[in-house]
Amino acid sequence: GTTRHPEEDPSMSLTLIEKVHETADIWAFRIRSDEPLVWEAGQYVRVEVPHPDPDDEGTTRWFTNSAAPYEGILQITTRVTGTTFKQALSRLEPGDRIELLEDPDGDFTWEDTDVPVVFVAGGIGITPFHSILKQRVHDGDPLDVTLIYGSGSEDVAFADELSGWEEADHSLTVHRVVGEPLTVQVLARLVPDLMGSLVYVSGPEPMVEALGADLREAGLPDPQLKEDFFPGYAADDI
């Protein structure tokens, strides 16, 4: 991102365009920014929704932008839980303002590689993969990905879109794993050449930490593992 001088106000005002109910308790908040927002698919942002009497987690959160860069908007796709932040977010109406606190950031982005690419998503950890795949579909790039999508129930974000992309581009393979922890054994069963792949893991922090450690122990070379941690979600909250 750009280097900001300390005397500058780093925040940028955002406006809610619409909120869309995805499934179960998952909602998408589509947001536009006053200035052009530039980011790479898979990156995250930090936003603030001021509200009275915030809980210990406060008034700011990090979210992956689940929209693709070509769309030019910020899309927050999240579970609406009982935290004061999520409740305040869910009460916003189109036209309401949100603050973007810093430029989009993060290196959980597409990497050109000669080895097979495996995306592993635990629940709402699907958001960076949605952004990356949607941008590649738009650019006409082959998807060339095996996506393993773990969830606690059948109700997941982006299910229809993913099915459509898989149908249109046979280089994308989607494996749904429902009600079963994502372990190295489960992944290896679905991807025989797991240790020879570039593996992206995204989801609740405890899940990513445990699976990342197990993959390294099983022999996945460190440069072939990319991890994206979602704080605030329990390991089984997928």
Side-chain angles (χ1 to χ4, degrees), residues 56-70:
D56 292 347
E57 291 180 54
T59 59
T60 68
R61 286 290 190 287
W62 279 267
F63 291 104
T64 300
N65 187 349
S66 64
Y70 78 86

Side-chain angles (χ1 to χ4, degrees), residues 70-81:
Y70 78 86
E71 297 179 89
I73 61 162
L74 170 61
Q75 179 171 278
I76 292 171
T77 303
T78 188
R79 286 189 183 283
V80 174
T81 58

Side-chain angles (χ1 to χ4, degrees), residues 30-50:
R30 295 171 69 81
I31 298 159
R32 70 167 184 270
S33 64
D34 294 353
E35 304 159 45
L37 193 60
V38 179
W39 79 98
E40 218 176 316
Q43 289 189 316
Y44 56 81
V45 294
R46 186 159 73 101
V47 298
E48 181 166 28
V49 178

